[in-house]
């Protein structure tokens, strides 16, 4: 039977969720629950000399500090370990193993540091520790580099060499290939380990593939059967980014298929009494964000960088990630590369000069009526109809299509509003309605008629930076429009619904109503003084509490 050791790293990897501040009661309770599960190894946190000691946190500056946090606990698993990100905890901060609570230190390092990191593992062995070499971002290693790593490891003889799927890029097939290379070249007394991340929802599947794998070639079985393996997991998958392989799932599988006898109830108790509180405050797990990182094989900071760009839709973020220089550079974040890639993409795909020119030609010489979603579009319907019959204007609605009026254009400013237009657009598919969209919205079925850059249309330092009314006024001003009529722009109220359709309501409007009205009144006077703006239906933007709107 294969020697499999299950390693729980909740107190270490889970710390990315809460800055390792579990609280000492939770730390002790989680550890005791894990001991009761009979997992073979428990990781108690990071050793990092840059961090001050805090008994409520599982990140400690010195190895001896583990005694202060865990020393009063009686029961222990087979092996207790801590982790060092190579370079963050030097030898003066690592006391001999015989003096500390821990038996093993796992050293994580990137490929270019493998010589120095393996030498460091050798020094840890001299201090009495089991030392493991953790191959960060193992997907960046070629087969040749893996062989080179194995040659180093065979000289140092760490307790284990572990594959770390840092960015959740592995599939079971790729994992087994790397595993097979390590198994071929590593001395059989060195364990092989695996640490999964869940960006592709494959953490559990990959962990199962790892523990279940048996070579088909009989010649490979001799070494394979001699070797032990370590597999990482955390309670409820708690951990960095998309999270890890859930301990309770993997333990169940090992019990059912590998003759293990892990106790599941203590895992469930730990999840219920400790872990779920952290999940409620800062949930982890599979998210579009982490999927984009893995899909494009890039560092998560690139996704953060591009998500801050207000001009981009989620499709644009995905596209631009694909434009970054190929791996391994994509996994080594460089803000300048990100900015350069964004600028290139923007100039090629987001430039909006043509849209303004074409829209200006469309609107030239026509009266223009803007229709908003305020309740007065229905309450004062007759006024609107009379205006339309008299002026025959070009009608532009904002983020919705009013059923009672045949609009010519719809201005769309975010993907959620675009979603609410789906049925309305299908109902009027036999009537030509053109869509003016900002760059953060991605089209369905066919391209938008006009696309305008979002960033120049936003308000500075406002609760609602993307006020769609002011945004559309800026678009029309850029098109040279000098006179506009408006209906259904009631302004904001702190005591009643602001839209005829309550589903369009922003949750924070009622707390900000007076401030928003004042800001928009001020903008109409200062930013749009060259435009004549006529309100057909009642609007709070016409009120003159502290601003004289003059002719408006």
């Amino acid at each position: 039977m294969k020697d499999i050791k299950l390693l729980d790293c909740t107190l270490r990897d889970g710390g990315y969720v809460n800055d390792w501040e579990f609280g000492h009661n939770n730390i002790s309770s989680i550890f005791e629950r894990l001991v009761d599960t009979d997992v073979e190894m428990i990781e108690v946190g990071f050793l990092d000399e840059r961090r001050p000691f805090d008994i409520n946190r599982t990140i400690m500056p010195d190895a001896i500090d583990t005694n202060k946090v865990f020393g009063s606990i009686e029961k222990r698993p087979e092996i207790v370990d801590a982790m060092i990100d190579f370079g963050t905890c030097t030898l003066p901060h690592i006391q001999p193993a015989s003096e500390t609570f821990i038996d093993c230190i796992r050293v994580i390092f990137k490929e270019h540091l493998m010589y120095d990191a393996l030498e460091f593992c050798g020094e840890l062995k001299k201090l009495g520790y089991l030392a493991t070499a953790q191959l960060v971002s193992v997907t960046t290693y070629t087969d040749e580099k893996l062989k080179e790593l194995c040659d180093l490891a065979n000289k140092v003889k760490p307790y284990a060499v572990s594959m770390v799927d840092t960015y959740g890029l592995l599939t079971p097939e790729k994992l087994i290939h790397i595993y097979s290379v390590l198994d071929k070249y590593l001395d059989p007394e060195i364990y092989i380990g695996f640490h999964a991340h869940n960006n592709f929802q494959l953490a559990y599947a990959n962990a199962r593939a790892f523990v279940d794998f048996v070579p088909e070639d009989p010649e490979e079985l001799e070494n394979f059967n001699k070797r032990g393996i370590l597999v990482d997991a955390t309670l409820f998958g708690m951990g960095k980014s998309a999270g890890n392989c859930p301990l309770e799932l993997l333990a169940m599988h090992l019990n059912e298929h590998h003759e293990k006898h892990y106790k599941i109830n203590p895992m469930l108790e730990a999840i219920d009494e400790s872990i779920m509180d952290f999940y409620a405050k800062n949930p982890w797990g599979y998210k579009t964000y982490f999927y984009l990182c893995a899909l494009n094989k890039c560092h998560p900071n690139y996704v953060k960088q591009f998500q801050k760009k207000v001009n981009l839709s989620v499709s644009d973020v995905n596209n631009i990630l694909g434009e970054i220089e190929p791996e391994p550079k994509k996994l080594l974040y460089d803000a300048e590369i990100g900015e350069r890639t964004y600028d290139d993409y923007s100039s090629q795909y987001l430039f909006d000069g043509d849209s303004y020119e074409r829209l200006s030609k469309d609107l030239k010489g026509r009266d223009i009526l803007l229709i908003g979603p305020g309740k007065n579009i229905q309450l004062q319907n007759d006024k609107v109809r009379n205006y339309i019959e008299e002026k025959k204007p070009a009608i532009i609605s904002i983020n919705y299509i009013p059923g009672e009026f045949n609009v010519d254009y719809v201005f769309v400013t975010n993907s959620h509003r675009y979603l609410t237009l789906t049925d309305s657009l299908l109902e009027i598919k036999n009537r030509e309605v053109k869509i003016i969209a900002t760059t953060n919205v991605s089209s369905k079925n066919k391209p938008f008629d006009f696309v305008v850059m979002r960033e120049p249309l936003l308000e500075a330092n406002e609760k609602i930076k993307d006020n769609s009314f002011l945004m559309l006024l800026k678009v029309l001003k850029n098109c040279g429009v000098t006179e506009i009529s408006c209906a259904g722009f009631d302004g904001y109220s702190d005591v009643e619904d602001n839209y005829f359709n309550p589903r369009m309501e922003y949750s924070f409007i009622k707390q900000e109503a007076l401030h928003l009205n004042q800001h928009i009144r001020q903008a109409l006077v200062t930013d749009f003084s060259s435009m004549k703006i006529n309100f057909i239906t009642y609007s709070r933007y016409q009120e003159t509490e502290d601003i004289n709107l003059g002719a408006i």
Side-chain angles (χ1 to χ4, degrees), residues 220-236:
E220 298 177 7
L221 277 174
E222 185 177 355
N223 261 9
F224 182 82
N225 288 331
K226 292 178 183 177
R227 188 187 308 284
I229 62 172
L230 307 176
V231 59
D232 292 13
T234 61
L235 291 164
F236 203 62

Side-chain angles (χ1 to χ4, degrees), residues 41-295:
M41 297 181 68
I42 300 175
E43 192 161 74
V44 295
F46 267 116
L47 302 181
D48 188 335
E49 65 192 50
R50 302 168 299 179
R51 299 290 293 257
F53 176 75
D54 182 345
I55 198 168
N56 293 305
R57 281 185 160 93
T58 54
I59 186 165
M60 298 152 275
D62 294 86
I64 199 73
D65 290 328
T66 57
N67 296 358
K68 302 174 187 176
V69 180
F70 298 93
S72 61
I73 298 174
E74 295 181 8
K75 287 180 65 179
R76 294 165 52 90
E78 182 180 328
I79 299 172
V80 175
D81 77 272
M83 180 171 279
I84 293 175
D85 187 347
F86 178 64
T88 64
C89 189
T90 54
L91 291 172
H93 291 267
I94 304 169
Q95 296 73 26
S98 59
E99 299 175 11
T100 74
F101 187 76
I102 52 178
D103 315 296
C104 173
I105 295 178
R106 303 207 294 170
V107 181
I108 57 174
F109 56 90
K110 293 185 177 178
E111 180 185 326
H112 67 285
L113 297 172
M114 64 181 181
Y115 279 88
D116 292 337
L118 263 297
E119 182 180 344
F120 184 70
C121 287
E123 294 300 315
L124 295 177
K125 288 183 64 179
K126 293 177 184 177
L127 290 170
Y129 292 100
L130 302 172
T132 80
Q134 306 289 121
L135 311 187
V136 166
S137 193
V138 71
T139 50
T140 65
Y141 284 74
T142 63
D143 288 0
E144 283 302 310
K145 278 293 182 182
L146 289 171
K147 184 178 183 301
E148 185 179 340
L149 183 283
C150 290
D151 291 340
L152 287 173
N154 290 340
K155 294 173 184 175
V156 175
K157 291 202 167 34
Y159 180 70
V161 170
S162 282
M163 304 171 284
V164 183
D165 187 16
T166 309
Y167 302 110
L169 303 180
L170 283 175
T171 62
E173 295 77 15
K174 178 67 173 175
L175 169 65
I176 294 306
H177 173 77
I178 297 172
Y179 180 15
S180 298
V181 174
L182 293 177
D183 185 59
K184 181 176 180 180
Y185 293 109
L186 275 178
D187 285 350
E189 66 267 26
I190 299 174
Y191 279 72
I192 294 177
F194 175 56
H195 179 93
H197 278 148
N198 209 28
N199 300 55
F200 279 153
Q201 285 281 51
L202 288 174
Y204 177 51
N206 285 336
R208 281 189 55 164
F210 175 62
V211 299
D212 292 346
F213 175 68
V214 177
E216 294 181 3
D217 187 344
E219 293 182 7
E220 298 177 7
L221 277 174
E222 185 177 355
N223 261 9
F224 182 82
N225 288 331
K226 292 178 183 177
R227 188 187 308 284
I229 62 172
L230 307 176
V231 59
D232 292 13
T234 61
L235 291 164
F236 203 62
M238 184 180 187
K240 186 178 182 180
S241 69
N244 302 310
C245 175
L247 180 73
E248 60 279 7
L249 293 183
L250 189 55
M252 173 188 70
H253 178 73
L254 292 170
N255 287 349
E256 292 176 356
H257 298 280
H258 292 274
E259 300 182 34
K260 290 290 189 174
H261 303 284
Y262 301 116
K263 297 180 178 66
I264 304 298
N265 279 346
M267 300 178 192
L268 300 178
E269 293 294 343
I271 291 168
D272 183 59
E273 68 192 11
S274 297
I275 303 304
M276 294 312 295
D277 286 341
F278 297 113
Y279 183 79
K281 294 174 185 174
N282 191 12
W284 55 88
Y286 176 75
K287 295 180 177 70
T288 305
Y289 170 86
F290 301 121
Y291 170 75
L292 287 171
C293 303
L295 176 65

